[in-house]
Amino acid sequence: VVRTRTLPLMRMVAYAAMLIIAIGVGIWFGTDLIPFANPKKAQTKDFNDWIVKDAPKGQKKVITLPDGTTVWLNAGSTLKVSTAYNQQKREVQLEGEAFFEVVRKPDMPVIVRTGNTEAIVKGTSFNISSFNQIAVSLVSGLLEVRLIDSPKEVVLLRPREKVALRDNRLQRVENSDDDWAWKESRIVIKDAPIEEVAGILERWYNVAIVLDS
């Protein structure tokens, strides 16, 4: 059930104008451990087959992949995992936002695809989002980000670095711990447009916000 709220425009302007809005909402953060099938029992599976896991608006999920990698899935996001995951390769597709803690396997990197971008990971922790724009923030380890249709467009990230997709180019941008504040059940908004603020609140609380001019 989606509830609708009409907010006066000036009130939304006040929210967007604040330098930082931090709201503790841990009361509804649900940890949902979802183990996938043992890959040794899926030797005949095809990499074109996917297991789909959703975190509906108003909810978040924690997913454990067959190799032990942990994925925090933000509200309004979808993760698709190959049924052959952890056999010859480790590949997932993301719509929305997720935080990954990847189990290190140097001979089999994790490939996270979202839109026209993919992150190649051997063992690290990072946040990746396709809300508003595609952006990847690295917490630990090393991470390679590249464009799927332009292999020469590659950025190597080190801890505390971030890259965003702008005008179909990967650009280094300022990194912040706030990028993964949602994982700790906090909303942090910095100088965001009204529409972006409304979108965040809609996903978190499963409501439809109508901007009243």
Side-chain angles (χ1 to χ4, degrees):
V1 177
V2 177
R3 293 165 292 171
T4 301
R5 294 289 185 271
T6 299
L7 297 182
L9 182 58
M10 293 308 297
R11 185 184 303 176
M12 292 299 297
V13 169
Y15 290 159
M18 293 178 67
L19 177 63
I20 295 178
I21 303 176
I23 308 173
V25 289
I27 188 171
W28 63 268
F29 182 90
T31 300
D32 187 4
L33 297 176
I34 308 175
F36 285 83
N38 188 329
K40 293 181 179 180
K41 297 179 181 179
Q43 296 299 321
T44 61
K45 295 294 185 180
D46 192 307
F47 279 102
N48 294 321
D49 294 332
W50 301 90
I51 298 171
V52 180
K53 297 295 178 182
D54 295 307
K57 292 181 179 180
Q59 302 178 29
K60 294 197 290 289
K61 287 186 178 179
V62 180
I63 301 169
T64 302
L65 302 183
D67 61 348
T69 290
T70 303
V71 184
W72 284 260
L73 197 59
N74 202 354
S77 303
T78 299
L79 185 71
K80 296 172 64 177
V81 183
S82 169
T83 55
Y85 183 94
N86 206 31
Q87 292 184 40
Q88 291 82 28
K89 60 181 179 179
R90 301 186 290 174
E91 182 178 315
V92 301
Q93 296 182 5
L94 173 69
E95 295 179 9
E97 184 169 25
F99 186 95
F100 288 77
E101 284 190 357
V102 176
V103 171
R104 181 173 174 79
K105 296 185 73 171
D107 59 338
M108 192 186 298
V110 168
I111 300 174
V112 182
R113 293 184 175 181
T114 183
N116 186 36
T117 305
E118 63 181 14
I120 302 173
V121 193
K122 293 186 177 180
T124 184
S125 58
F126 65 100
N127 191 81
I128 181 169
S129 175
S130 62
F131 291 139
N132 303 310
Q133 68 173 1
I134 295 175
V136 183
S137 305
L138 183 62
V139 179
S140 64
L142 291 174
L143 180 64
E144 179 182 301
V145 182
R146 67 186 182 190
L147 294 183
I148 295 174
D149 61 3
S150 182
K152 293 183 179 179
E153 186 82 12
V154 178
V155 174
L156 181 64
L157 292 181
R158 292 178 170 80
R160 320 302 298 179
E161 292 183 343
K162 178 179 179 179
V163 66
L165 182 64
R166 295 177 176 174
D167 298 323
N168 207 35
R169 297 292 302 273
L170 294 173
Q171 299 181 20
R172 294 181 183 274
V173 295
E174 183 180 358
N175 184 54
S176 171
D177 292 351
D178 296 335
D179 291 341
W180 52 90
W182 64 268
K183 177 173 170 283
E184 301 171 351
S185 297
R186 293 186 297 121
I187 301 176
V188 179
I189 301 172
K190 295 182 178 180
D191 297 327
I194 297 171
E195 294 80 8
E196 184 176 334
V197 174
I200 292 172
L201 297 178
E202 285 180 334
R203 290 192 296 272
W204 274 62
Y205 295 107
N206 190 26
V207 296
I209 297 177
V210 179
L211 299 179
D212 185 3
S213 59

